[in-house]
Amino acid sequence: MPQQPSEQGQSPLPFLTVTGDTLVATAFRPHDREASTHRSPHNQTATTDTRRRHRTPYHRLFAQPGARAFTLGNLIARLPMGMFSVSAVIMIAGSRGSYALAGAVTATGLAATALVAPWTARLVDRYGQARAAVPATAFALLGDIALVLCVHYGAPDWTLFAAYAATATTPNMGGMSRARWAHLFKGDPAAIHTANSFEQAADELCFMLGPVFAVFLCAAFFPEAGTLVGDVLMMTGVLIFAAQRSTEPPPQRRTEKSEKSQSQSQSKSQPKSPVRAPGMPPLLLGFLAMGAVFGSMEVVTIAFADAQGHKSAAGAVLALQAAGSCVAGLLYGALKPAGPAERRYPLCVAAMTVLMTLPLLAASLTGSLLALAGALLVAGMATAPTMVTGMTLVQHRTPEGRLNEGMTLAVTGILGGIACGSATGGWVVEHLSTTAGYGVPVAAAALALAISAAGAARRAVRRQVVRRQAVRR
């Protein structure tokens, strides 16, 4: 018996019949043409709607399911990063009457973070962000609470150092957020570039608003208010961030057998630590030099504003530098970068070195705080593109499964550079002049440029050697 064609909207079946001793099969598809004519405008409309929704790369970024939720938690948790140091200085100096003690305590916490942060990141990579970040944050907050109690009840000075050192387990929220973007947009360099640009702009925004918010809380309420509010915000943000499990990168768990096999393969092809990955050492040294730029610029600007009789305006002047970097980061993320990151990175560092001369010229030629503010605004515009490109290289060169650790090492380098830059800038200001102090960030930027240029030259020589060997073969 002949088989009837399928109903419209279903996959068509062939029409089968027998003619003599021959089986004839014929497919009827007139409705397919109708469906295609009906579907074509719909597809065009859907494509147009998608393009309208994704007017900029950032629209496409946050159209990803779960992206807005984990970004909200990350921003809430990241804001206190710009509050804790300022709050600790105000709290300790107000209670003990010593800025030297306050600075030493915060420097100890910074040094402890530089040592502990890579280990915390390694736990995050191995056990997952939610399982590792929440207890690490809780332990760090216990250190903050202990610091508040020691200051409030007049405990010995050594307890302040011990309590603030315990906050070193604070997880690198920016690194974990970048790891999520890299997981969500794996194999999409354009989207990852936009995500890194957004994260850098978020860093600048938090370090621009955090100190202002901390000073307001400590002045309007009581000296411990900045630290306590920062603790609440951080724990809340980490819990919101950790609750978004759908966007979390899978943990890289290791058994004894896998560790033995990995150690054997790593000894031949892959390094055990991101520090020894190809191209990482000069990159981390460059981050150390760039951290010295940031640390020295902050100390020298505060000293310059104080010398001009406007110490209270130092925060606003430094905020302009962060604002310039924030805007530049967002614009840089909206643009499609030309060429690979390895070529763009030395150019970005060179631009930062040139623009860092503007504050030195403004301070030495005009001596005006207003002119300095404008110079810092322009100089800050080179910071975000340089950091975004550098973080992209970190992601490329970090071994698979160690991304949080690799990015935390970069942040550790920056923190170490900030400490060195702060000390060097303070020494130059005290022994020479505030104007001469602006030579420190210029020298640090030039050092970062020399490191990046040397690394680029070394890679070029290595490529030429490989090409010659290939030609000989």
Coordinates of all heavy atoms in Angstrom, one line a residue, residues 53-95:
R53 N 20.6 43.5 20.4 CA 20.9 43.2 21.8 C 22.4 43.4 22.1 O 22.8 43.8 23.2 CB 20.5 41.8 22.2 CG 19.0 41.7 22.3 CD 18.6 40.4 23.1 NE 19.3 39.3 22.6 CZ 18.7 38.5 21.7 NH1 17.6 38.7 21.2 NH2 19.4 37.4 21.3
H54 N 23.3 43.0 21.1 CA 24.7 43.0 21.3 C 25.3 44.2 20.6 O 26.1 44.1 19.7 CB 25.3 41.7 20.8 CG 24.8 40.5 21.5 ND1 24.9 39.2 21.0 CD2 24.1 40.4 22.7 CE1 24.4 38.4 21.9 NE2 23.9 39.0 22.9
R55 N 24.8 45.4 20.9 CA 25.3 46.6 20.3 C 26.8 46.8 20.5 O 27.5 47.4 19.6 CB 24.5 47.8 20.7 CG 23.0 47.8 20.3 CD 22.4 49.1 20.7 NE 22.3 49.3 22.1 CZ 21.4 48.8 22.9 NH1 20.4 48.2 22.4 NH2 21.4 49.0 24.2
T56 N 27.3 46.4 21.6 CA 28.7 46.6 21.9 C 29.2 45.2 22.4 O 28.5 44.3 22.8 CB 28.9 47.6 23.0 OG1 28.4 47.2 24.3 CG2 28.3 49.0 22.7
P57 N 30.6 45.1 22.4 CA 31.1 43.8 23.0 C 30.7 43.5 24.4 O 30.6 42.4 24.8 CB 32.6 44.0 22.9 CG 32.8 45.0 21.8 CD 31.6 45.9 21.9
Y58 N 30.4 44.6 25.2 CA 30.0 44.4 26.6 C 28.6 43.8 26.7 O 28.3 43.1 27.6 CB 30.1 45.7 27.4 CG 31.5 46.2 27.5 CD1 32.0 47.2 26.7 CD2 32.4 45.6 28.4 CE1 33.3 47.6 26.8 CE2 33.7 46.0 28.5 CZ 34.2 47.0 27.7 OH 35.4 47.4 27.8
H59 N 27.7 44.2 25.7 CA 26.4 43.6 25.7 C 26.5 42.1 25.5 O 25.8 41.3 26.1 CB 25.5 44.2 24.6 CG 25.0 45.6 24.9 ND1 25.7 46.7 24.7 CD2 23.9 46.0 25.5 CE1 25.1 47.8 25.0 NE2 23.9 47.4 25.5
R60 N 27.3 41.7 24.6 CA 27.5 40.3 24.3 C 28.1 39.6 25.6 O 27.7 38.4 25.9 CB 28.5 40.1 23.1 CG 28.7 38.6 22.8 CD 29.9 38.5 21.9 NE 30.3 37.1 21.7 CZ 31.4 36.7 21.3 NH1 32.4 37.6 21.1 NH2 31.7 35.4 21.2
L61 N 29.0 40.2 26.3 CA 29.6 39.7 27.4 C 28.6 39.3 28.5 O 28.6 38.2 29.0 CB 30.6 40.7 28.0 CG 31.8 40.1 28.7 CD1 32.7 39.3 27.8 CD2 32.6 41.3 29.4
F62 N 27.7 40.3 28.8 CA 26.8 40.1 29.9 C 25.5 39.4 29.5 O 24.6 39.2 30.3 CB 26.5 41.4 30.6 CG 27.7 41.9 31.3 CD1 28.5 43.0 30.8 CD2 28.1 41.4 32.5 CE1 29.6 43.4 31.5 CE2 29.2 41.8 33.2 CZ 30.0 42.9 32.7
A63 N 25.4 39.1 28.2 CA 24.3 38.3 27.8 C 24.5 36.8 28.1 O 23.5 36.0 28.1 CB 24.0 38.4 26.2
Q64 N 25.7 36.5 28.5 CA 26.0 35.1 28.9 C 25.3 34.8 30.2 O 25.3 35.5 31.2 CB 27.5 34.9 29.1 CG 28.0 33.5 29.4 CD 28.0 32.6 28.2 OE1 27.9 33.1 27.1 NE2 28.0 31.3 28.4
P65 N 24.5 33.7 30.2 CA 23.8 33.3 31.5 C 24.7 33.2 32.7 O 25.7 32.6 32.6 CB 23.2 31.9 31.1 CG 23.1 31.9 29.6 CD 24.3 32.7 29.1
G66 N 24.3 33.9 33.7 CA 25.1 33.9 35.0 C 26.1 34.9 35.1 O 26.7 35.1 36.2
A67 N 26.5 35.6 34.0 CA 27.6 36.6 34.0 C 27.3 37.7 34.9 O 28.1 38.2 35.7 CB 27.9 37.0 32.6
R68 N 26.1 38.3 34.9 CA 25.7 39.4 35.7 C 25.7 39.1 37.2 O 26.1 39.9 38.0 CB 24.3 40.0 35.3 CG 24.3 40.5 33.8 CD 22.9 41.0 33.5 NE 22.8 41.4 32.1 CZ 21.8 41.9 31.5 NH1 20.7 42.1 32.2 NH2 21.8 42.3 30.2
A69 N 25.3 37.9 37.5 CA 25.2 37.5 38.9 C 26.6 37.4 39.5 O 26.8 38.0 40.6 CB 24.4 36.2 39.1
F70 N 27.5 36.7 38.9 CA 28.8 36.6 39.5 C 29.6 37.9 39.4 O 30.4 38.1 40.3 CB 29.6 35.4 38.9 CG 30.4 35.7 37.6 CD1 31.5 36.4 37.7 CD2 29.9 35.2 36.4 CE1 32.3 36.6 36.5 CE2 30.7 35.4 35.3 CZ 31.8 36.1 35.3
T71 N 29.3 38.7 38.4 CA 30.0 40.0 38.4 C 29.5 40.9 39.5 O 30.3 41.6 40.2 CB 29.7 40.7 37.1 OG1 30.2 39.9 36.0 CG2 30.3 42.1 37.0
L72 N 28.2 40.9 39.9 CA 27.7 41.6 41.0 C 28.4 41.2 42.3 O 28.8 42.1 43.1 CB 26.2 41.5 41.1 CG 25.5 42.1 42.3 CD1 25.7 43.6 42.3 CD2 24.0 41.7 42.4
G73 N 28.4 39.9 42.6 CA 29.1 39.5 43.8 C 30.6 39.8 43.8 O 31.1 40.2 44.8
N74 N 31.2 39.7 42.6 CA 32.6 40.1 42.6 C 32.9 41.5 42.9 O 33.8 41.9 43.6 CB 33.2 39.7 41.2 CG 34.7 39.9 41.1 OD1 35.1 40.9 40.7 ND2 35.4 38.8 41.4
L75 N 32.0 42.4 42.3 CA 32.2 43.9 42.6 C 32.0 44.2 44.0 O 32.7 45.0 44.6 CB 31.3 44.7 41.7 CG 31.6 44.6 40.2 CD1 30.6 45.4 39.4 CD2 33.0 45.2 39.9
I76 N 31.0 43.6 44.7 CA 30.8 43.8 46.1 C 31.9 43.4 46.9 O 32.4 44.1 47.9 CB 29.5 43.1 46.5 CG1 28.2 43.7 45.8 CG2 29.3 43.2 48.1 CD1 26.9 43.0 46.1
A77 N 32.5 42.2 46.6 CA 33.6 41.7 47.3 C 34.9 42.4 47.0 O 35.8 42.5 47.9 CB 33.8 40.2 47.0
R78 N 35.0 43.0 45.8 CA 36.3 43.7 45.4 C 36.4 45.1 46.0 O 37.5 45.6 46.1 CB 36.4 43.7 43.9 CG 37.8 43.7 43.5 CD 38.0 43.9 42.0 NE 37.3 42.8 41.2 CZ 37.4 42.7 39.9 NH1 38.2 43.5 39.2 NH2 36.8 41.7 39.3
L79 N 35.2 45.8 46.2 CA 35.3 47.2 46.7 C 36.1 47.3 48.0 O 36.9 48.3 48.1 CB 33.9 47.7 46.9 CG 33.7 49.1 47.5 CD1 34.3 50.1 46.5 CD2 32.2 49.4 47.7
P80 N 36.0 46.4 49.0 CA 36.8 46.5 50.2 C 38.3 46.4 50.0 O 39.0 46.9 50.9 CB 36.3 45.4 51.1 CG 34.9 45.1 50.6 CD 35.0 45.3 49.1
M81 N 38.7 45.9 48.8 CA 40.2 45.9 48.6 C 40.8 47.2 48.6 O 42.0 47.4 49.0 CB 40.4 45.2 47.2 CG 40.0 43.8 47.1 SD 40.7 42.7 48.4 CE 39.9 41.1 48.0
G82 N 40.0 48.2 48.2 CA 40.5 49.6 48.3 C 40.2 50.3 49.6 O 40.6 51.5 49.8
M83 N 39.6 49.6 50.5 CA 39.2 50.2 51.8 C 40.1 49.8 53.0 O 40.4 50.5 53.9 CB 37.8 49.8 52.2 CG 36.7 50.3 51.2 SD 35.1 49.6 51.6 CE 34.8 50.2 53.3
F84 N 40.6 48.5 52.9 CA 41.2 47.9 54.1 C 42.5 48.7 54.5 O 42.7 49.0 55.7 CB 41.5 46.5 53.9 CG 40.3 45.6 53.9 CD1 40.1 44.6 53.0 CD2 39.4 45.7 54.9 CE1 39.0 43.8 53.0 CE2 38.3 44.9 55.0 CZ 38.0 44.0 54.0
S85 N 43.4 49.0 53.6 CA 44.7 49.6 54.0 C 44.4 51.0 54.5 O 45.0 51.3 55.6 CB 45.6 49.7 52.7 OG 46.0 48.4 52.3
V86 N 43.6 51.8 53.9 CA 43.3 53.1 54.4 C 42.6 53.1 55.7 O 43.0 53.8 56.6 CB 42.4 53.9 53.3 CG1 42.0 55.2 53.9 CG2 43.2 54.0 52.0
S87 N 41.7 52.1 55.9 CA 41.0 52.0 57.2 C 41.9 51.6 58.3 O 41.8 52.1 59.4 CB 39.8 51.0 57.0 OG 38.9 51.4 56.1
A88 N 42.9 50.7 58.0 CA 43.8 50.3 59.0 C 44.7 51.4 59.4 O 45.0 51.6 60.6 CB 44.6 49.1 58.5
V89 N 45.2 52.2 58.4 CA 46.1 53.3 58.7 C 45.3 54.3 59.6 O 45.9 54.8 60.7 CB 46.6 54.0 57.5 CG1 47.2 55.3 57.8 CG2 47.5 53.1 56.7
I90 N 44.1 54.7 59.3 CA 43.3 55.7 60.1 C 43.1 55.1 61.5 O 43.2 55.8 62.5 CB 42.0 56.0 59.4 CG1 42.3 56.7 58.0 CG2 41.1 56.8 60.3 CD1 41.0 57.0 57.2
M91 N 42.7 53.8 61.6 CA 42.4 53.2 62.8 C 43.6 53.1 63.7 O 43.5 53.5 64.9 CB 41.8 51.8 62.6 CG 41.4 51.1 63.8 SD 40.5 49.5 63.4 CE 41.8 48.7 62.4
I92 N 44.7 52.7 63.2 CA 45.9 52.5 64.0 C 46.6 53.8 64.4 O 46.9 54.1 65.5 CB 46.9 51.6 63.3 CG1 46.4 50.2 63.1 CG2 48.3 51.5 64.1 CD1 47.2 49.3 62.3
A93 N 46.7 54.7 63.4 CA 47.3 56.0 63.7 C 46.4 56.9 64.6 O 47.0 57.6 65.5 CB 47.5 56.8 62.4
G94 N 45.1 56.8 64.6 CA 44.3 57.5 65.5 C 44.3 57.0 66.9 O 44.2 57.7 67.9
S95 N 44.6 55.7 67.0 CA 44.6 55.1 68.4 C 46.0 55.2 69.0 O 46.1 55.4 70.2 CB 44.2 53.6 68.3 OG 44.3 53.0 69.5

